[in-house]
Amino acid sequence: MSLHPLIERLAQGSAACAVNAADHDAFVARPGTHVLCFCGDPVRFPEALDIAVVLPELQVASGGAFDIGVVTRADEDSIARRWGVQRWPSLVAVRDGLWLGSIAGMQDWDVYLRELNAILQAEPKRPPTIGIPVVSAGTTDACH
């Protein structure tokens, strides 16, 4: 599947790289802060093209505080589940392999700057993935 030229330019630019399932863990474990870009299908999510243009500008505005990984379309769903992404396009910030926060959808410039600044200063925490309670067979809701 070919990428839209704007997303391709982002993924191949000097400030970004494409991230697939095979190299995802190594990419996010590298020292420093990284922003994963989940563009989605630009036909279904036209905001993806805006993100592809704005993200490098956010990187410059942050003083190069993060590098960019553009998640490949083929692996977007599996990687998105790991980081709790439920809306496209989304940006997910990680530091040293740990989740810092995310921004879903296209935002106004000042909102991006404010939210991204807060995320980049945040302490790592558990990603907002879906938790599934574990229940063994034959148990009841009673405490004893």
Side-chain angles (χ1 to χ4, degrees):
M1 169 188 315
S2 65
L3 293 174
H4 186 280
L6 289 175
I7 297 171
E8 179 74 28
R9 184 176 73 185
L10 173 62
Q12 302 304 320
S14 61
C17 65
V19 175
N20 61 33
D23 58 24
H24 167 268
D25 290 347
F27 176 79
V28 299
R30 296 185 331 201
T33 304
H34 319 289
V35 171
L36 293 168
C37 180
F38 294 83
C39 291
D41 176 5
V43 172
R44 288 184 60 208
F45 309 107
E47 292 177 328
L49 302 179
D50 298 327
I51 294 285
V53 173
V54 169
L55 186 53
E57 298 301 322
L58 289 168
Q59 183 185 43
V60 169
S62 75
F66 59 89
D67 59 6
I68 300 169
V70 180
V71 179
T72 60
R73 290 276 300 122
D75 297 317
E76 249 180 353
D77 289 338
S78 64
I79 295 173
R81 281 191 296 276
R82 175 174 178 171
W83 299 111
V85 172
Q86 297 181 7
R87 181 175 169 205
W88 276 253
S90 282
L91 303 176
V92 172
V94 298
R95 182 181 308 119
D96 303 325
L98 303 171
W99 187 82
L100 296 174
S102 61
I103 303 171
M106 186 63 193
Q107 306 295 324
D108 289 335
W109 181 253
D110 59 331
V111 173
Y112 265 135
L113 290 178
R114 183 177 60 249
E115 289 188 22
L116 190 56
N117 185 47
I119 288 170
L120 294 176
Q121 294 179 30
E123 290 297 317
K125 50 196 155 288
R126 184 181 175 279
T129 56
I130 298 171
I132 300 173
V134 176
V135 179
S136 68
T139 62
T140 67
D141 292 335
C143 295
H144 51 295

